[in-house]
Amino acid sequence: MKYLSNQRGGKPLIITVITLVIISLISAVAIVYFTIKDQNIEFSEEEIAEATKVAESELDKAYAVAKEYPFEKRFEAIQSIGYREPKEGEYAIFTFEKDYDEDDEYYVILKMKPHAQFENLSVVTVAIFDKKNGALIVEKQNVLKWEK
C-alpha cells in the first residue's frame, strides 16, 4: 500500500487528465451548439426560390457541357463553367467549388460521382449555401450523360 501512494508524478498526471477531460467537454458542447444553431436558420420562400434558380442554372450549365465533352474530359468540362479543380473524396466523389466574386450571395458546391451501372453517366449534386451563415439552402441532383 505504501508503494502505491508514493509514486512520483501522480499529481501532474491527474491535473493533465482533468484538464483534457474539461477541454473535451467544452469541445463537445461547442460542437452541439453550432450544429443546433445551423439547423435553426430558416430562409424565406423568396430566398429558397432564388437559391433554387441558381441550382437549376448550374445544373443546366453542367448538362450543356456534358453534351460537348467526353466522359474522360469531365473535369475540364466542369472547370469550363467556372468551378475550381476537383477535390477527390471517398468512393470517387469529386467536389468542385464555384469561383466567386466578393458580392456573390451564395456559396455553390458541385459534387460528381460515377453512376453505379453506366460508364458514361455521372450523378451530379449542386448544393447552394448561404454565404453569411454557411447554412445549406437548397440541394438539387441530376444525372449527366457524357458524349461518347
Side-chain angles (χ1 to χ4, degrees):
M1 191 72 138
K2 186 177 180 183
Y3 173 73
L4 291 175
S5 63
N6 235 355
Q7 293 179 352
R8 289 187 169 192
K11 285 187 180 181
L13 178 64
I14 290 171
I15 292 171
T16 304
V17 169
I18 290 172
T19 304
L20 289 175
V21 168
I22 290 172
I23 290 172
S24 297
L25 288 174
I26 291 171
S27 299
V29 169
I31 289 171
V32 168
Y33 170 76
F34 287 114
T35 302
I36 291 171
K37 180 183 168 197
D38 286 344
Q39 290 176 351
N40 289 338
I41 295 174
E42 292 186 18
F43 297 100
S44 68
E45 289 183 26
E46 292 84 21
E47 290 174 314
I48 294 172
E50 183 65 31
T52 302
K53 286 179 187 176
V54 171
E56 289 171 354
S57 169
E58 294 299 321
L59 283 174
D60 289 343
K61 290 176 191 176
Y63 183 74
V65 295
K67 289 181 176 180
E68 300 172 11
Y69 286 83
F71 181 76
E72 295 79 25
K73 300 214 180 230
R74 63 191 181 279
F75 302 128
E76 292 89 354
I78 298 300
Q79 289 172 340
S80 74
I81 59 172
Y83 288 90
R84 297 182 187 142
E85 292 238 2
K87 296 177 186 173
E88 186 173 356
E90 292 183 58
Y91 311 112
I93 297 175
F94 295 92
T95 302
F96 297 85
E97 293 179 41
K98 186 80 172 177
D99 286 325
Y100 299 100
D101 295 330
E102 291 293 322
D103 56 339
D104 287 341
E105 294 179 46
Y106 303 111
Y107 184 72
V108 182
I109 293 183
L110 184 142
K111 290 189 178 191
M112 182 170 53
K113 66 180 180 178
H115 193 274
Q117 297 173 340
F118 300 102
E119 183 179 300
N120 65 327
L121 297 180
S122 296
V123 178
V124 175
T125 305
V126 174
I128 308 295
F129 294 88
D130 180 42
K131 226 178 185 182
K132 187 171 101 179
N133 299 313
L136 177 67
I137 300 173
V138 72
E139 188 174 63
K140 293 281 187 177
Q141 187 173 34
N142 206 342
V143 176
L144 298 180
K145 181 179 180 183
W146 297 96
E147 190 65 33
K148 285 193 175 191

